[in-house]
């Protein structure tokens, strides 16, 4: 139920959940002119990586 998209790249399976919001908090959006990824974390939570989908797909294309 939580997996919206299943992608296979070089035999690695990615289970992807999509979240869509009208607005995302500005502090969560990476300044892609200055950084490639942004790491966000809640108190006592696991760090998460935020990056544009196009950049992630470009990285995966390099693996093909």
């Amino acid at each position: 139920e939580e997996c919206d998209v299943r992608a296979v790249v070089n035999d690695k399976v990615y289970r992807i959940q999509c979240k869509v919001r009208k607005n995302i908090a500005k502090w969560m959006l990476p300044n892609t002119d200055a950084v490639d990824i942004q790491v966000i974390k809640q108190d006592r939570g696991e760090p998460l990586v935020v990056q544009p989908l196009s950049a992630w797909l470009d990285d995966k294309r390099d693996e093909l």
Side-chain angles (χ1 to χ4, degrees), residues 16 30 32 35-37 50-62:
I16 303 167
T32 55
V35 300
D36 297 312
I37 64 170
V50 179
Q51 77 178 133
L53 178 60
S54 59
W56 187 83
L57 291 172
D58 284 345
D59 289 345
K60 296 303 143 201
R61 275 191 211 106
D62 292 341

Side-chain angles (χ1 to χ4, degrees), residues 20-31 38 40 50:
V20 177
R21 299 290 181 267
K22 183 176 181 179
N23 294 303
I24 297 174
K26 298 278 188 232
W27 65 267
M28 293 177 77
L29 301 174
N31 175 357
Q38 180 157 310
I40 60 175
V50 179

Side-chain angles (χ1 to χ4, degrees), residues 36-49:
D36 297 312
I37 64 170
Q38 180 157 310
V39 177
I40 60 175
K41 181 181 168 304
Q42 67 181 353
D43 289 348
R44 296 178 180 75
E46 182 175 1
L48 305 170
V49 173

Side-chain angles (χ1 to χ4, degrees), residues 2-26:
E2 293 192 26
C3 180
D4 297 315
V5 177
R6 182 178 174 271
V8 180
V9 178
N10 287 339
D11 298 323
K12 179 172 171 73
V13 177
Y14 292 92
R15 297 172 300 153
I16 303 167
Q17 184 179 50
C18 302
K19 297 289 188 184
V20 177
R21 299 290 181 267
K22 183 176 181 179
N23 294 303
I24 297 174
K26 298 278 188 232

